[in-house]
Amino acid sequence: MLSLFQYRLPELHNMLQSKEISVSELTEQSLAAIADRDSKVHAFLTLNEEGARQSARALDDKLASGAARGLLFGLPAGIKDNIVTKGLRTTCASKFLDNFQPIYDATVVSKLRQADAVTVGKLNMDEFAMGGSNENSAYGAVRNPWNLEHVPGGSSGGSAAAVAAGEVLFALGSDTGGSIRQPASYCGVVGLKPTYGLVSRYGLVAFASSLDQIGPVTRNVEDSAYVLQAIAGYDAQDSTSAKVDIPDYLSALTGDVSGLRIAVPKEYIGEGVDPSVREQVMSALKVLESLGAVWEEVSLPHTEYAVAAYYLLASSEASSNLARFDGVRYGVRVDEGGGLLDLYHNSRSRGFGPEVKRRIMLGTYALSSGYYDAYYLKAQKVRTLIKQDFDEVFKNYDVVIGPTAPTTAFKLGSQTENPLTMYLNDILTIPVNLAGIPAVSIPCGFAGGLPVGLQIIGKEFDESTVLRVAHAFEQHTDFHKERPQL
């Protein structure tokens, strides 16, 4: 039987085009893998079984008719459950949206349909994308396919786990403070956060609108470039969408990094980073050095303030964005006969989980009269300083490289009682979101049997260079070929 992991997306695309395999066969294998493995991993919240089969049959008919076919023709994909899908339940892993059936598709979902991909289901996540371990889902935690006693990372833990477990060929996630890259690191897959504005956010249920960005989770860098090609581009329905030319990302994968200038922030490899993680990152730098790249240690001095600034800004935006969930218009409604304020209180008390409530309260406090200048405004100023740090480094260097996360995946339940410790796991990914620049996490080794991620950060809208560096490293290592044994 054909293994989903045996081929890259472009190879599968060609096999489908030449009718060596059918879309229905590929879709059935994805559904069979989910049936076999997902009871252990719990990556899916809603399975689009019949819809996927219908799409596969329609695409097989399209192939037989000789009609034009899209870039992702016939490839099974999973969608993070905070990206709306018409007629397919979208919960944000929250009881508040347990019964929510969207009436339209997010722009990225429309783009996947136009590219002829097959949506097999919606993926588990931290509730409303708030968390770094996927333990905040109202429907139960996702487990790391490499070790089921460990977290997959969050909030796109379902997306990373589904790809790592071989349940789908690729997935879409969202990244607000590292929510694609950190789970990609923990699960040994490739996770790309594009430049803010490159991929439309229309139809992404907002957590923090100035930070959220949709991106792909894949098994290798070439697949990441392939999916990005299909979903990137300007969207008039998204006021933050950027009008930029979209290059051919696949053509950037030349394998050539000769003369490339790499900056390695001392803050990213210093105190707080596990020595075994640092060792793998330094080994990765030696690989790139052997390919003709040069690296130097630099400083991003405001990194230490990134976590505090991020949680003030993200929570403030969450406080505003989640005000729409009131039990009146859609979602859970708990009406026990009191007044309007009772309806709000009861619906939100029972609909939201503890982490969401914590961030709403923190954000509301930071935006309140008398505290706005002291907290929110100061955090915005720090954000500017962090962006300026990157701007200064990029005057002399092509990319910034360091670990994606300071440790490998931690055990389930080990940090749930200490939110601050959990927040600090994102210290190396958060600055990228504050600056709005692109970054990718790729596998670069193992520590204690768990994957270690290498983070490659680039200039805004320079995904081509980020992918080129990642691909060059990947071509000279085999870490991306390792698979968990479920």
Side-chain angles (χ1 to χ4, degrees):
M1 187 180 185
L2 171 73
S3 168
L4 281 173
F5 287 112
Q6 192 173 343
Y7 301 104
R8 294 170 286 111
L9 295 189
E11 292 176 320
L12 283 168
H13 182 79
N14 291 335
M15 292 169 70
L16 288 161
Q17 300 275 32
S18 62
K19 302 181 183 178
E20 292 178 54
I21 55 173
S22 70
V23 179
S24 293
E25 287 171 340
L26 200 53
T27 300
E28 287 301 331
Q29 186 175 349
S30 177
L31 293 172
I34 294 167
D36 178 54
R37 302 165 197 166
D38 206 58
S39 59
K40 301 173 187 174
V41 178
H42 194 41
F44 279 86
L45 291 180
T46 302
L47 196 57
N48 185 34
E49 201 164 353
E50 189 50 43
R53 289 192 171 109
Q54 288 177 4
S55 295
R57 289 193 292 268
L59 291 172
D60 281 331
D61 290 343
K62 185 175 185 178
L63 183 61
S65 71
R69 295 170 290 280
L71 183 64
L72 302 175
F73 180 82
L75 302 176
I79 310 293
K80 187 176 178 180
D81 206 30
N82 61 344
I83 300 171
V84 301
T85 42
K86 185 177 181 180
L88 185 61
R89 192 175 74 134
T90 300
T91 69
C92 293
S94 175
K95 290 296 184 184
F96 210 117
L97 292 176
D98 185 66
N99 60 357
F100 180 52
Q101 297 273 353
I103 58 173
Y104 70 99
D105 279 330
T107 296
V108 287
V109 175
S110 297
K111 283 178 173 282
L112 290 188
R113 292 192 198 281
Q114 290 162 14
D116 290 331
V118 176
T119 300
V120 297
K122 305 300 290 293
L123 295 161
N124 205 346
M125 55 183 284
D126 283 304
E127 184 181 5
F128 284 102
M130 298 181 191
S133 67
N134 228 137
E135 294 171 287
N136 293 325
S137 169
Y139 302 99
V142 180
R143 294 176 178 268
N144 192 317
W146 289 93
N147 186 325
L148 297 174
E149 298 305 310
H150 288 247
V151 302
S155 61
S156 304
S159 299
V163 173
E167 296 178 345
V168 288
L169 287 166
F170 70 92
L172 293 186
S174 66
D175 192 310
T176 307
S179 291
I180 289 173
R181 290 159 290 146
Q182 185 240 40
S185 174
Y186 285 179
C187 292
V189 293
V190 175
L192 173 67
K193 186 210 87 72
T195 305
Y196 183 79
L198 182 68
V199 177
S200 173
R201 293 188 304 108
Y202 180 74
L204 173 68
V205 180
F207 162 19
S209 303
S210 74
L211 299 162
D212 300 338
Q213 185 61 179
I214 295 170
V217 179
T218 60
R219 297 163 300 154
N220 57 67
V221 175
E222 186 176 6
D223 289 0
S224 185
Y226 207 67
V227 178
L228 181 63
Q229 198 74 55
I231 64 173
Y234 174 71
D235 179 16
Q237 296 179 104
D238 174 8
S239 63
T240 61
S241 184
K243 287 185 177 179
V244 293
D245 293 331
I246 305 301
D248 181 350
Y249 295 115
L250 284 168
S251 69
L253 308 182
T254 61
D256 180 18
V257 292
S258 180
L260 184 90
R261 297 163 300 170
I262 300 170
V264 180
K266 63 181 182 182
E267 294 83 3
Y268 286 25
I269 54 173
E271 185 181 354
V273 176
D274 189 280
S276 59
V277 170
R278 186 186 302 114
E279 181 183 346
Q280 297 300 326
V281 171
M282 300 311 291
S283 296
L285 287 168
K286 288 178 183 176
V287 172
L288 291 170
E289 202 171 25
S290 72
L291 299 176
V294 293
W295 67 272
E296 294 177 344
E297 194 171 286
V298 299
S299 178
L300 296 172
H302 295 96
T303 298
E304 64 178 301
Y305 307 111
V307 172
Y310 169 83
Y311 278 98
L312 281 167
L313 295 174
S315 298
S316 295
E317 293 186 28
S319 169
S320 176
N321 279 326
L322 270 64
R324 71 193 71 179
F325 299 102
D326 53 13
V328 176
R329 287 158 287 194
Y330 50 80
V332 167
R333 179 186 181 98
V334 183
D335 189 353
E336 298 179 338
L340 184 62
L341 292 180
D342 290 326
L343 172 63
Y344 290 167
H345 177 268
N346 293 333
S347 298
R348 289 170 174 166
S349 294
R350 299 188 200 177
F352 290 139
E355 181 62 28
V356 175
K357 292 175 183 174
R358 182 183 293 119
R359 297 200 194 192
I360 289 174
M361 290 167 64
L362 175 61
T364 303
Y365 178 81
L367 291 174
S368 61
S369 177
Y371 297 101
Y372 180 93
D373 288 352
Y375 295 109
Y376 181 77
L377 187 61
K378 188 171 287 186
Q380 288 286 26
K381 291 177 178 178
V382 171
R383 179 180 191 169
T384 300
L385 294 173
I386 290 169
K387 175 70 165 66
Q388 289 173 352
D389 284 349
F390 279 110
D391 290 343
E392 197 61 33
V393 166
F394 283 130
K395 288 178 181 178
N396 300 307
Y397 299 92
D398 299 302
V399 291
V400 172
I401 288 183
T404 306
T407 66
T408 55
F410 49 89
K411 282 194 171 184
L412 285 156
S414 64
Q415 296 186 9
T416 50
E417 298 304 313
N418 191 337
L420 186 57
T421 301
M422 186 86 75
Y423 295 167
L424 289 172
N425 289 315
D426 296 332
I427 191 168
L428 303 178
T429 53
I430 278 172
V432 170
N433 296 80
L434 291 171
I437 52 181
V440 68
S441 177
I442 58 173
C444 72
F446 292 84
L450 293 167
V452 174
L454 181 75
Q455 182 173 213
I456 302 167
I457 305 167
K459 303 170 187 176
E460 61 182 17
F461 300 110
D462 193 16
E463 279 76 6
S464 293
T465 298
V466 170
L467 291 166
R468 175 165 60 90
V469 177
H471 182 254
F473 174 80
E474 193 179 79
Q475 292 302 102
H476 291 82
T477 56
D478 291 326
F479 303 120
H480 65 288
K481 297 177 182 178
E482 299 285 340
R483 306 295 174 215
Q485 300 300 312
L486 277 167

